[in-house]
Amino acid sequence: MIDTATALELVLLHGSKQTEIIEISLKDALDHVLAEDVISRIDLPPFRQSAMDGYALSNTNSLTYSLIGEIQAGDSVNPNLKIGEAVRIFTGAPVPDTANVVVMQEKVVISGDTILVNGSLVSDMNIRTKGEQIKIGDIALNKGTIVKGVHIGFLASLGVVKVRVYKKPSIAIVVTGNELVRPGSVLSYGEIYESNGAMLTSVLEELGYNRTTVIAIKDDLNKTIKTLKDTINDYDIMIVTGGVSVGDYDFVGKALEVIGVQKIFHGVKQKPGKPLFFGKKERTSIFGLPGNPAAALTCFYIYVYPLLKKYEGAQQVNLTSVTLPLLNDYTVLGSRAQFLKARLQGSGVEVLTGQSSAMVKSIVEANVLVFLPEHSSNKKKGENVKTILLPNK
Amino acid sequence: MIDTATALELVLLHGSKQTEIIEISLKDALDHVLAEDVISRIDLPPFRQSAMDGYALSNTNSLTYSLIGEIQAGDSVNPNLKIGEAVRIFTGAPVPDTANVVVMQEKVVISGDTILVNGSLVSDMNIRTKGEQIKIGDIALNKGTIVKGVHIGFLASLGVVKVRVYKKPSIAIVVTGNELVRPGSVLSYGEIYESNGAMLTSVLEELGYNRTTVIAIKDDLNKTIKTLKDTINDYDIMIVTGGVSVGDYDFVGKALEVIGVQKIFHGVKQKPGKPLFFGKKERTSIFGLPGNPAAALTCFYIYVYPLLKKYEGAQQVNLTSVTLPLLNDYTVLGSRAQFLKARLQGSGVEVLTGQSSAMVKSIVEANVLVFLPEHSSNKKKGENVKTILLPNK
């Protein structure tokens, strides 16, 4: 068995990468990855802009100025201010080239067409200089940026209407097990409801992956071989849950071998997720995740998420991790590396009760995973631990 | 002007609340709020379940047992084990009522139809007891839960196919300003691209709100009155950006008054977002946010997000906040409360450069907001600060 770092390295090394670039409307770009740098075609702001409601003038060390007009936001005027002249100006309006100061209205006394400035004048005060946010020709967002709502706002402010992004992967979730029954049916003795398909489909949907297909297979070697063989070429990423241990009826590993999937690894020194499988066949990357929902979801975040992001060319492929103090003691069982369901709250991170792979309750409550490396000793409250932030929590 | 705590309190007190409950498919429930407790109709697991591939037996302090059969996951059998008998069993399979131990296969030596157990036997070992995750009649998820992917998985595992949730609000974003031009057009001098509509639409989409309409209004009092009057009754929540200061051409406040919107407050002792407006008219809650994108987005997360969640009946209406050490010094300017764009990274939180309301770059990079109360003194590296986790970052 390999360790967690090697496993992730192998996933990122062997996992396939999207080459197809598509151009889409900016408004549809949420959660896509930019396939090229976006260069600004404008200065932002595109002109010297008033940051205040007030008065624009050319500072001459005088405190009295004659008002010669006004400029609203959106006005296309650029009056020539002579010495001693000022214009009324509003937030967002263009500051005349001949002005070097905007005085906020609260610091001015008006008397007819004359204003008296109450306070000192400093060059460029309350003026947003042209291009202070970004200059024409500068990179607005780098290739590899995962586009979020705030990026869409930023690009809209630069006048961008279309972006080139990597096409998202097609994903299949293969659920295996004779004991699995679709929700809505009645359970017989020995059966449970299939939930990994629904869970992973929804977690993928949260991340912006909407092209997910769920395929259910019973524990039968020939059926497993046939189904996987018939479908594997249709997907960029195939996630199999269950059937990846070494039990007599865990047919997935055997079936993948028969259909010519190259095994990259099978088994990682970790808890949960020891039987994790990763392989590839032509353009398809194949994960075998444990059947237990909490273990499957943990492996999804630690290994599948980075491959999805690598596939799409993202700069940051792993979830953000930080180092934070534990809020409670934790007794380490065994020597494998551990991903613990935990909650970032208060002034640190609390490891939740119910770490068993089968326990769904703790993964429901978790908003982070705490990573403890192999052979970790028991952890005391206050010790710093690596904390992996889960998305959409 | 009121303080930030009072402002949030007033928003939550006066903001409207959804009463319409709809029943939807579990698979469509992402980001909806549960309108009632979901009660489990099954025990989970529904039967005593093997946690291992191994051998089920009734412990008699003997280490030798005769194999009388096998039970796969999904089998509906419950063999009657006599003293000294064992069955081969696989992970997820039902453990016979007459067995009280599952021995993992690695601890057994097989010789013909006899197994020799190598190790000690402890009652109930490797058996998941019936209902250990949840019992029939227990609450699986509480009313007010915001449904995420992991919740969908959990409910699917209980056989749930439909849930009752609150209907999501209809939302309008009203963008105001003569200077605003749609992306895709060419800018004249004095004009900028309108981006708050695209940004807030996308940020709402990230949060699962897909029924958002953008309405653009020029700076003209009569047009503003007419447009707001004609549309306000169509929306549960109206978010106006820009036009909420007290400038001569900030028509929104006047127009809202004319059409009979009850002002709850206008102005909060905070930075950014001093001119924040909140009001209501019948079922519609109306926010007036600053026109600057970064300031608008900050006010969105601090005030609009909680109202959206309150509207939908969520238990937790505010974003999660934690107390974490600063990674850098920060010099406080002014006495107003501040929401600082910051990044949770390393072993704490770094306040980003470029805190000006107009600066989009820092809000693009931020994954948290740091809250400094009114009259805060300068902050030193290592001091603990209230850190608000931004969603979808």
Side-chain angles (χ1 to χ4, degrees), chain A residues 186 217 229 231 313:
Chain A
V186 174
I217 311 184
K229 194 173 182 179
T231 55

mmCIF file with all atom_site columns, all heavy atoms in Angstrom, chain A residues 186 217 229 231 313:
data_model
loop_
_atom_site.group_PDB
_atom_site.id
_atom_site.type_symbol
_atom_site.label_atom_id
_atom_site.label_alt_id
_atom_site.label_comp_id
_atom_site.label_asym_id
_atom_site.label_entity_id
_atom_site.label_seq_id
_atom_site.pdbx_PDB_ins_code
_atom_site.Cartn_x
_atom_site.Cartn_y
_atom_site.Cartn_z
_atom_site.occupancy
_atom_site.B_iso_or_equiv
_atom_site.pdbx_formal_charge
_atom_site.auth_seq_id
_atom_site.auth_comp_id
_atom_site.auth_asym_id
_atom_site.auth_atom_id
_atom_site.pdbx_PDB_model_num
ATOM 1  N N   . VAL A 1 186 ? -39.657 -0.757 -1.195  1.00 0.00 ? 186 VAL A N   1
ATOM 2  C CA  . VAL A 1 186 ? -39.698 -1.291 0.166   1.00 0.00 ? 186 VAL A CA  1
ATOM 3  C C   . VAL A 1 186 ? -38.483 -2.201 0.353   1.00 0.00 ? 186 VAL A C   1
ATOM 4  O O   . VAL A 1 186 ? -38.109 -2.947 -0.545  1.00 0.00 ? 186 VAL A O   1
ATOM 5  C CB  . VAL A 1 186 ? -41.008 -2.079 0.391   1.00 0.00 ? 186 VAL A CB  1
ATOM 6  C CG1 . VAL A 1 186 ? -41.002 -2.758 1.757   1.00 0.00 ? 186 VAL A CG1 1
ATOM 7  C CG2 . VAL A 1 186 ? -42.191 -1.133 0.269   1.00 0.00 ? 186 VAL A CG2 1
ATOM 8  N N   . ILE A 1 217 ? -25.029 -1.484 -10.725 1.00 0.00 ? 217 ILE A N   1
ATOM 9  C CA  . ILE A 1 217 ? -24.640 -2.844 -11.135 1.00 0.00 ? 217 ILE A CA  1
ATOM 10 C C   . ILE A 1 217 ? -24.792 -3.795 -9.947  1.00 0.00 ? 217 ILE A C   1
ATOM 11 O O   . ILE A 1 217 ? -24.406 -3.467 -8.826  1.00 0.00 ? 217 ILE A O   1
ATOM 12 C CB  . ILE A 1 217 ? -23.164 -2.906 -11.592 1.00 0.00 ? 217 ILE A CB  1
ATOM 13 C CG1 . ILE A 1 217 ? -22.827 -1.802 -12.592 1.00 0.00 ? 217 ILE A CG1 1
ATOM 14 C CG2 . ILE A 1 217 ? -22.867 -4.275 -12.193 1.00 0.00 ? 217 ILE A CG2 1
ATOM 15 C CD1 . ILE A 1 217 ? -21.396 -1.886 -13.133 1.00 0.00 ? 217 ILE A CD1 1
ATOM 16 N N   . LYS A 1 229 ? -17.622 -2.242 -19.636 1.00 0.00 ? 229 LYS A N   1
ATOM 17 C CA  . LYS A 1 229 ? -17.062 -2.230 -20.992 1.00 0.00 ? 229 LYS A CA  1
ATOM 18 C C   . LYS A 1 229 ? -17.914 -1.370 -21.929 1.00 0.00 ? 229 LYS A C   1
ATOM 19 O O   . LYS A 1 229 ? -17.388 -0.626 -22.756 1.00 0.00 ? 229 LYS A O   1
ATOM 20 C CB  . LYS A 1 229 ? -17.037 -3.673 -21.512 1.00 0.00 ? 229 LYS A CB  1
ATOM 21 C CG  . LYS A 1 229 ? -16.201 -3.890 -22.747 1.00 0.00 ? 229 LYS A CG  1
ATOM 22 C CD  . LYS A 1 229 ? -16.128 -5.391 -23.037 1.00 0.00 ? 229 LYS A CD  1
ATOM 23 C CE  . LYS A 1 229 ? -15.256 -5.669 -24.238 1.00 0.00 ? 229 LYS A CE  1
ATOM 24 N NZ  . LYS A 1 229 ? -15.178 -7.121 -24.493 1.00 0.00 ? 229 LYS A NZ  1
ATOM 25 N N   . THR A 1 231 ? -19.799 1.143  -21.185 1.00 0.00 ? 231 THR A N   1
ATOM 26 C CA  . THR A 1 231 ? -20.002 2.548  -20.821 1.00 0.00 ? 231 THR A CA  1
ATOM 27 C C   . THR A 1 231 ? -18.714 3.333  -20.616 1.00 0.00 ? 231 THR A C   1
ATOM 28 O O   . THR A 1 231 ? -18.727 4.557  -20.706 1.00 0.00 ? 231 THR A O   1
ATOM 29 C CB  . THR A 1 231 ? -20.821 2.656  -19.512 1.00 0.00 ? 231 THR A CB  1
ATOM 30 O OG1 . THR A 1 231 ? -20.154 1.890  -18.504 1.00 0.00 ? 231 THR A OG1 1
ATOM 31 C CG2 . THR A 1 231 ? -22.234 2.125  -19.705 1.00 0.00 ? 231 THR A CG2 1
ATOM 32 N N   . GLY A 1 313 ? -7.848  22.041 -15.767 1.00 0.00 ? 313 GLY A N   1
ATOM 33 C CA  . GLY A 1 313 ? -6.765  23.010 -15.889 1.00 0.00 ? 313 GLY A CA  1
ATOM 34 C C   . GLY A 1 313 ? -6.730  24.074 -14.820 1.00 0.00 ? 313 GLY A C   1
ATOM 35 O O   . GLY A 1 313 ? -6.175  25.159 -15.027 1.00 0.00 ? 313 GLY A O   1
#
